Amino acid sequence: MAGGKETPRQKMIGMMYLVLTALLALQVNSAILLKFKFIDDSLLGVNNKTSSAADGTVKGIQAAVVKNQNQARDLTVLKQSEEIHAKTKAMVAYLRDVRDKLVVATGNPQGATEYKDPSADNKVMPAMIGGKKNGLAYPLKNELNQYSDFIRQYVPAATPLALDGKDDPRIANSKETTTHDQRNKDFAELNFENTPLVAALAVLSQKETEVLKYEADALQKQAEKVGAKTIVFDKIGAFASAESNTVAAGTKYKAELFLTASASSISPRMTLNGSPLSVGSDGHGKVEFTARPGGFDASGNAKASWNGTIRFNQNGRDTTFQVKVA
């Protein structure tokens, strides 16, 4: 369709084709931007709910501590959990502040959720990267990694949240030639270079999601610790122990009457003189053996003794009690 031989109709069709192509390109671009906007909105909604759930987890830990009579070890767990929650809230607040600054830097009022220019990529880079690498993303990287360092004492598998291209296994280990240049980029360039506003905001929301996931993992481990060494005795009964079940007339019968308690969550193992002992559904060991003659005293009585052990495991810790009956 090039050249002076084109008829006016051909020129008109050619112009319409160019306009249509441009419109299609704009339409695709707008659709992609809209999808980033949807992703960002969805992540923010999920993050708000996750943060509220963490509030509930901390309250649950606090209630468990009170139920366990405020034991020192549980109070320590509660204090750690509250610190985790506080540092997470501070990290999320920092991310939200970066978000607000980016929104304002791209020509929108603070707190805006609809943007004048959803792309604004020519304004995102100066704000997040800066001309001398002094943009918002550089202190953000430090804050994110300091948070992951803190969480690592509770979740050893926690990895840094802000990685440069050469340190990100998804990029460093990739065999795709298109990712080669990405390996030489730092965290700021990797996430905010030539990036539309709505995509940059989605990156910030995604980092917030990772922060909240780390918090959830840490609080879950903390919740498992509360009362981990506390045995709840939920079966209580009466028991009598006599010095002798047979007494002669005119002599005193002596016995002790007391309460016994057992825990239905524990399955004890018992032995009699080193041999396994049958344990009933009530948690009582059935001691039974035939008395052997020998060692008689002046009264014609033979004395003997036996040894018993009761062993149980709670939360991976073995506890053994020993008793000797003479």
Side-chain angles (χ1 to χ4, degrees), residues 145-263:
N145 288 340
Q146 285 176 15
Y147 176 81
S148 57
D149 288 342
F150 165 75
I151 286 293
R152 196 170 296 118
Q153 61 186 306
Y154 303 104
V155 185
T159 56
L161 288 167
L163 295 171
D164 296 335
K166 61 183 177 57
D167 300 318
D168 191 330
R170 296 170 299 180
I171 297 172
N173 299 331
S174 175
K175 296 181 180 179
E176 295 291 333
T177 56
T178 54
T179 62
H180 180 72
D181 292 339
Q182 304 298 316
R183 296 170 191 169
N184 298 321
K185 293 182 179 181
D186 59 29
F187 166 77
E189 295 166 335
L190 197 61
N191 289 279
F192 301 105
E193 188 178 62
N194 299 319
T195 302
L197 170 62
V198 287
L201 293 174
V203 169
L204 294 174
S205 297
Q206 190 264 339
K207 291 302 175 185
E208 184 179 318
T209 301
E210 292 181 5
V211 166
L212 291 169
K213 181 184 183 301
Y214 275 179
E215 179 193 30
D217 291 343
L219 289 180
Q220 178 59 37
K221 289 183 179 296
Q222 291 296 98
E224 292 172 359
K225 295 178 184 177
V226 177
K229 297 180 181 179
T230 301
I231 303 172
V232 179
F233 293 97
D234 54 355
K235 292 183 178 180
I236 300 176
F239 187 76
S241 176
E243 290 186 0
S244 176
N245 290 327
T246 304
V247 296
T251 61
K252 290 184 178 180
Y253 172 85
K254 295 181 180 180
E256 292 181 347
L257 182 64
F258 50 90
L259 288 174
T260 63
S262 61

Side-chain angles (χ1 to χ4, degrees), residues 272-298:
L272 169 63
N273 294 327
S275 299
L277 193 63
S278 174
V279 180
S281 58
D282 56 1
H284 295 176
K286 311 303 180 183
V287 178
E288 182 179 306
F289 56 88
T290 302
R292 296 179 181 179
F296 294 99
D297 59 18

Side-chain angles (χ1 to χ4, degrees), residues 4-242:
K5 295 183 180 179
E6 290 183 336
T7 64
R9 185 172 181 275
Q10 288 175 324
K11 291 180 180 180
M12 182 182 68
I13 292 174
M15 183 61 67
M16 289 179 63
Y17 176 80
L18 291 174
V19 171
L20 179 60
T21 302
L23 287 173
L24 286 173
L26 288 173
Q27 188 176 30
V28 171
N29 188 45
S30 298
I32 293 174
L33 293 176
L34 191 60
K35 286 181 174 64
F36 276 120
K37 178 69 166 57
F38 289 161
I39 291 172
D40 181 45
D41 291 343
S42 296
L43 286 174
L44 285 177
V46 171
N47 291 346
N48 290 334
K49 292 181 180 179
T50 304
S51 183
S52 297
D55 292 338
T57 301
V58 174
K59 290 179 180 177
I61 292 173
Q62 185 176 28
V65 170
V66 173
K67 183 179 180 181
N68 290 335
Q69 306 299 316
N70 293 310
Q71 298 181 57
R73 57 177 174 266
D74 288 344
L75 288 171
T76 299
V77 172
L78 175 60
K79 183 178 179 181
Q80 292 171 341
S81 301
E82 291 172 340
E83 184 182 13
I84 291 169
H85 198 39
K87 284 189 177 293
T88 302
K89 281 185 174 294
M91 187 67 246
V92 170
Y94 186 93
L95 281 161
R96 295 290 176 106
D97 182 60
V98 171
R99 180 187 183 89
D100 286 341
K101 289 177 179 177
L102 177 58
V103 167
V104 172
T106 50
N108 302 281
Q110 184 173 348
T113 56
E114 298 296 332
Y115 315 112
K116 296 177 182 179
D117 181 3
S119 179
D121 50 358
N122 61 326
K123 296 179 180 179
V124 170
M125 286 178 61
M128 298 303 295
I129 300 176
K132 298 181 179 179
K133 293 189 175 183
N134 57 351
L136 295 169
Y138 290 96
L140 172 61
K141 174 186 176 181
N142 293 334
E143 292 291 332
L144 285 169
N145 288 340
Q146 285 176 15
Y147 176 81
S148 57
D149 288 342
F150 165 75
I151 286 293
R152 196 170 296 118
Q153 61 186 306
Y154 303 104
V155 185
T159 56
L161 288 167
L163 295 171
D164 296 335
K166 61 183 177 57
D167 300 318
D168 191 330
R170 296 170 299 180
I171 297 172
N173 299 331
S174 175
K175 296 181 180 179
E176 295 291 333
T177 56
T178 54
T179 62
H180 180 72
D181 292 339
Q182 304 298 316
R183 296 170 191 169
N184 298 321
K185 293 182 179 181
D186 59 29
F187 166 77
E189 295 166 335
L190 197 61
N191 289 279
F192 301 105
E193 188 178 62
N194 299 319
T195 302
L197 170 62
V198 287
L201 293 174
V203 169
L204 294 174
S205 297
Q206 190 264 339
K207 291 302 175 185
E208 184 179 318
T209 301
E210 292 181 5
V211 166
L212 291 169
K213 181 184 183 301
Y214 275 179
E215 179 193 30
D217 291 343
L219 289 180
Q220 178 59 37
K221 289 183 179 296
Q222 291 296 98
E224 292 172 359
K225 295 178 184 177
V226 177
K229 297 180 181 179
T230 301
I231 303 172
V232 179
F233 293 97
D234 54 355
K235 292 183 178 180
I236 300 176
F239 187 76
S241 176

